[in-house]
Each structure stands twice: as structure tokens, then as C-alpha cells.
Amino acid sequence: LLHDGEPLVSDFGVALAVSEAGGTRLTETGMSVGTPQYMSPEQAAGDRTVDARSDVYSLGTVAYEMLTGEPPHVGNSVQAILGKVISDTPKPVREWRELVPNNVDVAVQRALAKVPADRFANASQFAEALVKPAPVGPAEAAASTEERRAQHWPALSWRRATMIFAAGLIIGALIVWLSSQDHQTTPLFPVVRFSFDVPRLASGGNLVAVSPDGSKIAYVVEDSQETTRIFLRALDRVPAAEIPGTGGGRHPFFSPDGEQLGFDQDGKLKTVPVVGGTISVVCDAPGMGGATWGPGGVIVFSRPWRGQGSLFRVPAAGGEPELLITPDAAPGPQEVAHLWKPHFLPDGRTVLFTQWGSFGGSLAALSITDRQVTPLSQPGDGAYYVERGGYVVFFDGGWMVRSFDPRRLRFTGPPQPFASGPRVQLNSDLATLAVSRTGTAAFLPGPTPPWDLVAVDRQGNVTVLSDEGNFYTNPRFSPDGRYIVYVISYPYVNGGDLWIYDVALGTETRLTFDSASVSPEWTPDGRRVIYVGKEGTTASDWNLRWIPADKSGPTQNLLTRMNAQWQGLLSADGRLLVFWEWAGQTQGDIWVTPVDTPQAARPLAQSSGWDVAIALSPDGRWLAYHSNESGRDEVYVRPLKSAGARRQVSSGGHSPRWGPDGRELFYRSGDSLYVVPITPGPQLGIGRARVLFAAPFMAGGWSSSIGYDVSPDGQRFVFVRERADDRRRMEVLLNWFDHLGRLR
């Protein structure tokens, strides 16, 4: 407060002055008034008389908190805190932060002395000790005669004491601020947000990276042939430029100095100068799921190992990867299955990472020196640490930010939305946001509605069925062709809901409401829809369910197994259920079981790769699917009920669908839809594939299921088309973390 142009601290002193003026004290003997963490022991004990040394204690508490991140005494209740204030001695500041100057630590300890006589007599002495190079030890508790006289300072007016206290507070805060610049940054610049156009980003994987100093952004784009390339945009230059030699590359990440870029290409971990130059192979890294480059010339990356995502380290100069830890050795939530997306903390010895399992994702920290794992008790994925302010940014239903202590490896504040909760493009998931250690963030805002549901005839002519611009996936014609069922996905959830489109009326009706429904298929009679739904938190989260198409009955479980299923079909007679299920990070298998005896399930197709995207012939005799066992996707056909070898149909292809009479088999390859003549019989006759029409539409759907369908008369196809005029803009956010305390 200002009184006659002079500052007054409006805390306990004002309360005391007001009470004295009114003749009745607000603080009676035995009763404490104030905020427990900042009260002196004599206040906590309810002493009747307190003086300037109590204010010195409170100032010491503030200084302690500014240096360590917490008050010297914390507890679960007011009583617990007051008890510690009276009896416990706080740890020295240097035990938390060893770089704090010794004289600052000693001065704070003396200010927090339990006995008032052992403290500084006033705030000016405390301020002097904070800048005094010689240590002020406990031996000086025997104060000088002048100090003892100052301790009994009845002649000094309350206003003068308050002014001195205020001056000391300002000086002390300034000194503490100067000694803690490695952790706190005073806002100097305004929050700045701008954007620039980018080509189509690839789907899946880590797509965006920001250099540690925030001056460069790397991102992965994908052309119409689904070939990826890595572009670099320096914030002081326009336009962005492709980094030569990065075709097919993914998962970009920067070196600590920002001059090198690491990435995954053809199953190998590689590095390249950001200005272009010789590409170096670091090591083999098939199926890499993210990497981070530490200040000691060490790269930590994640990749599958024995069917589980595990963490490895390798010298950035190249060498043999060393296994750091596997899910089985990582403490934390139950059923840990994969360890992904590592990110170095400033010490260069600890990485944040994600533990993944049927429970979802949870953050943890790993010491790469002794391989000790510290669970952080925070659900989420894709963590970045921001040194500028000490925050972790992570994804948990949306992008969040939370204050974090990297020395004690624990969160120190509640989570809150990052930048008012920026949304990200749906199919890119965590891959569309990256944050530098200085707090520069780059992300794709969204989701903007970019997709339409379209019908295409055999000549390739397109008719828009629904232009609502939703995120449509996996459309399927009903057996009579009157309806199309599909998934409309939503941001921040692992799935969406089933909707049914009436072809004649052009109306859409919602079928499920759990936001966790994917991969729909009609039963042969058209009365029900089989789909994959999520329920519970066990390893069998995602299982086959079915629901009446007219909603005349409830959803029912169709199949529950140890592994998650991702697509299911009934045979023409309705007796057999064919499904493919997840069998490891790099493997999917196809099974068949009688509907009434699911325990009798047997494998139909198993390999070292993904055997997925199943389709049954109309007569129920043949199974078509695609597999990447050969190193690229190929379409195969094999008998459903009898033993027989598989036969390759494509020369590079995926997503097979049968024609209505079983005499044609369709599949996709690149931007084209192919048709293969089929001659039914005991020995299936397979003709030569030819292009039916160009199909520059969305290539797939949920978890390798098929992203298009054939009408019952074989004359039309339903696809999901991305709008050609959908422009993508990369958003860049500067200085936001500097103002986070003010924006809360």
C-alpha cells in the first residue's frame, strides 16, 4: 500500500496496527493468524509479542522457496506444517542446488533460525549478508553489542521498520533472482505466435523437431506416392528447404548444438548436417520409435526388441547399440509393454520416456548411468522438458504443461493446458508438436475438417456423399447397399464412434457413443455391425463387439482374448469368425474360430510381419489379406477352411476387397485401384492385375484395416477424400513459458 507516498507492507504489521488502534488484538495468546508455511516459530506458537526478526524469518522462507522451489516446511495439514515450523530444521539450500553461493545458503539458514536472537536483527542485515562474500556462520549468533541493541528496538517507529523491511525484501529478492537465473527467467519479451505453410505432413511417428535453441524446425512431409522427406526451416530465413538425402526419413531430432539432425531411414539411425552434406550411419534401428541426442555425444532411442519397445543408447559417432532397459525391468504401472519417445534432461544423464501398456501411457525417468527408473505418476506421452522456467510438456488427452524439478525428478505443480490447449492434427497424434529446451514450440493447429465421403464409379468419376468435413475412416457398404457404416474420429481419443449413412436420404445417424469404436464390418445378413471397442484397462482392452444396426438392442461382446483384435468378419453362413489381432509391436496374425466356441480359435496366417486387412470371398471359401513379410505390402489369397498354400496376387499392394460375385479382387497400390480377374473353383484362377482407375484418396484406416469398400453390385466404390484446398500451416509460439506464471 502507498501512504503519503511511502510504501507499506500490508501483512501482519497492518493487522497489528489496526488491532492496536481499535483497542482489541486480532492475535490473541495461543492463537496463530497467517499462512503457515511463512510464519515464524514464535507466530506458529501463538506468542503474544513478535518483532522485526519474525519478518526476517518470513523473508528467509520466501528466499528459500525461490531457490529450491518449495518452502522450507511443507505438510498435509496446517497442524503438520506448524509442527515442523516449530521443531524441524530445514535442509540447507545447497543440498538441493549445489551452485547456490555459500554465503547465500548460510544467510538463509541464519534467517530461518528457530530462536529469534539467532537471526539477523533486521532486513538490512539480511540483505547485506546475501551479498557479503565472506560466509556468515552460526558462530556469529553471538551478536555484537550493536546487534543486541537493535534486537530491542523500541525507539524505532513501526513505519520506519516496515520501510526497511520492504527495502530489504526488494534487495534480497534481487540477489536471489540473480543467483537463480539457471532456473527462473523474468519475462522480457511478449508472447509471439506466427505460422507458415507446410506441405502435407506424413502420418504416424515423430514428425516435428525443434532445435535446442529454438532457431530451427525440422518436419517430415509425404508426397502422393507416400514417400517421406525431411524439410528444415530456420526461423531467420524463408523459405524452408529439403535436406538432401533424407527421402524415406522419419523421426527427426537435433544434436545439442543444433547443427546436426538425426533421423530414421530404411531401418537405420542416421545423422546429417542441417546445412546438408554427408549422411552418416550410426547403427541399425529397425522400427525406431523416437530418439534424443544428449550433450555427451550419446543418442538414446527406442525400438522393438524381442517383441517389446525398449530403450537403447549408442555413440552419436556410430557403434553397436547397447540395450539400456526393457519393459520387464521397468517399474511402474502394471503390464508395461513398450518404452518409447525418450527425451534428455539437462544433466545429460537422465531421459524422460513413456511406458506404454494396456493402461495407456505413463511418464517415467531413466538414469542411463545406473539404469534406475523413476515412475513420475503422470499419465501421458511425448514429454519435452523446457529449461526456461522448468516445465514438462506432455500429451494427456490434450497437450499439457506442468512444473517439474529435474534434480528430484518430480512434478512440483498441477497440470494445465499448454497455450490454452492447442489442438493438433488428428492422424499425426503426438507427432505434430515439438518444444525446444528454450521454450520455442512448433505445432500444427487443428483439427480442421479436411475429409469428405465420396462414391466413385468404375471409370473414376467422383460423387460427394457427405461434405461435412468429418474425420471419416473405414467406410463399409451394407449387404443390400442401402447404408454405409463408418467411423468418425475425434481429437485426443483413441478411436471414434460409428455412424450410419443412408444412401437414399443422405442422412447420418450415430450408432455408438463411447468415442472408442473402430474398424466396422457388417454381418452377412446386414442386421448387425461388428466393430472393435475398448472397455476396461487390461491387456484385452480392444476386443470385437457387435451392435444391432437399428439400435434395437445393446452392444454385446463378440470375442475377448489376451491380445487385442483389430478387425473381425463373419463367414457367409455366420458360423465362423475370422479376425486379426495384435501379436507384438511388429506383428499381426490372422485367426479363425467357431462363433459358439471361441476357445477353439486357430491361426490362419502367421509370419514375422503384419498379416492384416482381411477380406472373405462371397462363397466363404477364400481369405484375402495383405502382409509385409517380404519387406513391402503384398496381397495374398489362401483357403479359409481347408489346408492350402497362400498365393500372391499383387506386385506391391494392400487393402484387398472382393467383388460381389467373387470373380474380381480389388486392391490398392500407390494412387491407383487395381482389379484382378478371379476364376472361382476348387483351384482358384488368378488373372493379371490391371489399374481400374486413379485413386488419390485416403489410403487406410485404423490399424491397417481397409479404408474403402465395394458396393454390392460392384459398380461403385466408397472412399474418403482429403480436400484438395486444405492448407496446412505450422504454428510457432515464442516466449510463452516466460509468462506462464502470469497466464495461470
Side-chain angles (χ1 to χ4, degrees), residues 663-719:
R663 295 182 178 274
E664 291 180 315
L665 183 66
F666 304 92
Y667 67 85
R668 297 201 60 183
S669 181
D671 277 352
S672 297
L673 182 71
Y674 285 74
V675 59
V676 179
I678 299 293
T679 303
Q683 297 297 322
L684 197 68
I686 300 176
R688 186 179 183 85
R690 64 179 178 86
V691 175
L692 185 62
F693 56 76
F697 307 115
M698 303 297 289
W702 181 264
S703 297
S704 301
S705 56
I706 303 164
Y708 75 102
D709 197 21
V710 186
S711 66
D713 61 6
Q715 300 304 305
R716 294 191 305 162
F717 304 83
V718 60
F719 286 92

Side-chain angles (χ1 to χ4, degrees), residues 377-464:
S377 302
Q378 171 61 60
D381 190 13
Y384 296 94
Y385 179 71
V386 179
E387 294 182 46
R388 196 163 175 169
Y391 299 100
V392 169
V393 180
F394 58 93
F395 186 90
D396 182 27
W399 284 100
M400 310 296 290
V401 59
R402 191 174 180 187
S403 56
F404 184 76
D405 185 339
R407 290 176 58 86
R408 287 181 279 183
L409 298 179
R410 70 177 187 179
F411 288 101
T412 58
Q416 58 184 306
F418 168 57
S420 298
R423 304 168 77 188
V424 294
Q425 292 289 353
L426 179 66
N427 260 13
S428 300
D429 191 27
L430 308 178
T432 53
L433 183 141
V435 187
S436 75
R437 69 169 183 242
T438 59
T440 297
F443 58 92
L444 280 184
T448 55
W451 302 341
D452 295 327
L453 193 69
V454 298
V456 186
D457 64 20
R458 295 180 73 97
Q459 288 72 47
N461 300 311
V462 176
T463 301
V464 176

Side-chain angles (χ1 to χ4, degrees), residues 477-498:
F477 278 108
S478 62
D480 59 9
R482 294 176 56 190
Y483 305 101
I484 301 173
V485 65
Y486 45 77
V487 177
I488 294 181
S489 299
Y490 309 111
Y492 313 143
V493 297
N494 294 324
D497 280 314
L498 305 185

Side-chain angles (χ1 to χ4, degrees), residues 511-514 529 531 533 535 545-548 553-557:
L511 188 59
T512 64
F513 293 81
D514 55 13
V529 175
Y531 69 100
E535 183 177 12
R545 313 172 81 182
W546 56 0
I547 184 174
T555 297
Q556 294 179 319
N557 290 330

